[in-house]
């Protein structure tokens, strides 16, 4: 997808999500709304959803796409984003040490931390693509803003 087209699409999605998430609401319902909108707007979002932090486990939250691991114990891209407290972009998941392959069709991935109002890292937003090198700075920038909407207006 061309950069300008991708940027325009993210901007329209963010306007839509801002409308859907204006009122305070349950974070899980908000995650479900975000996953549904993203998944239906981007063809290359093969898997899109949230994992919630629960002590030493990441537990599957709302998602769209093929059935995924219910619990991530250690290692992998999602845990890397949690441990670094930063977005992790992986152009080729097969080169990422410890990558957890919930579905062998995934080839690239981006994981964004989700912080609550107290700056606690409570979840991650994870997107997988079947293409290599799907995620760039446009995805990173907009998905970070979208991830911050889970706890906005609360
Ligand atoms: N690949 C992730 C696991 C979750 S799935 O992509 C849905 C990881 O390495 O943490």
């Amino acid at each position: 997808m061309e950069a300008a087209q991708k940027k325009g699409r993210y901007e329209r999605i963010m306007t839509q999500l801002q409308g859907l998430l204006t009122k305070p609401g349950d974070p899980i319902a908000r995650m479900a709304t975000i996953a549904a909108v993203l998944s239906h707007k981007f063809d290359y979002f093969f898997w899109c959803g949230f994992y919630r932090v629960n002590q030493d486990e990441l537990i599957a939250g709302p998602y769209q796409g093929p059935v995924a691991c219910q619990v991530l114990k250690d290692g992998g891209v999602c845990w890397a984003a949690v441990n670094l407290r930063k977005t992790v972009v992986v152009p080729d998941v097969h080169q990422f040490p410890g990558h957890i392959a919930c579905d062998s069709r995934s080839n690239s991935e981006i994981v964004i931390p989700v912080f609550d109002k107290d700056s606690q890292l409570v979840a991650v937003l994870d997107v997988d693509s079947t293409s290599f090198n799907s995620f760039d700075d446009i995805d990173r920038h907009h998905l970070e803003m979208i991830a911050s909407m889970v706890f906005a207006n609360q």
Side-chain angles (χ1 to χ4, degrees):
M1 180 180 260
E2 276 188 30
Q5 189 189 5
K6 189 190 272 195
K7 206 162 166 273
R9 193 168 303 180
Y10 270 119
E11 277 160 15
R12 288 191 294 280
I13 286 171
M14 286 178 49
T15 303
Q16 182 185 0
L17 284 173
Q18 271 152 7
L20 290 166
L21 303 173
T22 313
K23 294 181 189 159
D26 179 80
I28 300 292
R30 296 166 76 89
M31 289 179 192
T33 301
I34 291 170
V37 170
L38 286 175
S39 166
H40 284 82
K41 299 287 180 180
F42 283 111
D43 290 343
Y44 64 99
F45 283 24
F46 169 67
W47 191 94
C48 169
F50 293 85
Y51 277 92
R52 294 168 300 126
V53 179
N54 183 18
Q55 297 176 6
D56 61 347
E57 293 182 336
L58 297 179
I59 300 176
Y63 70 86
Q64 303 261 322
V67 173
C69 314
Q70 290 182 33
V71 179
L72 305 174
K73 279 281 192 191
D74 197 13
V77 186
C78 292
W79 269 112
V82 171
N83 292 333
L84 294 166
R85 294 176 65 85
K86 277 176 30 181
T87 298
V88 177
V89 179
V90 183
D92 176 356
V93 295
H94 310 288
Q95 305 300 321
F96 191 93
H99 167 255
I100 299 164
C102 295
D103 189 302
S104 59
R105 291 170 288 180
S106 290
N107 282 318
S108 61
E109 183 165 3
I110 183 169
V111 181
I112 301 99
V114 176
F115 298 97
D116 70 8
K117 284 290 182 201
D118 301 321
S119 303
Q120 294 294 310
L121 203 172
V122 293
V124 292
L125 169 59
D126 180 11
V127 187
D128 287 26
S129 166
T130 54
S131 302
F132 291 96
N133 210 11
S134 283
F135 304 104
D136 57 18
D137 278 345
I138 298 174
D139 296 284
R140 177 201 294 263
H141 174 72
H142 291 91
L143 290 173
E144 284 178 352
M145 288 199 285
I146 290 168
S148 76
M149 288 180 175
V150 174
F151 288 95
N153 308 317
Q154 293 291 66

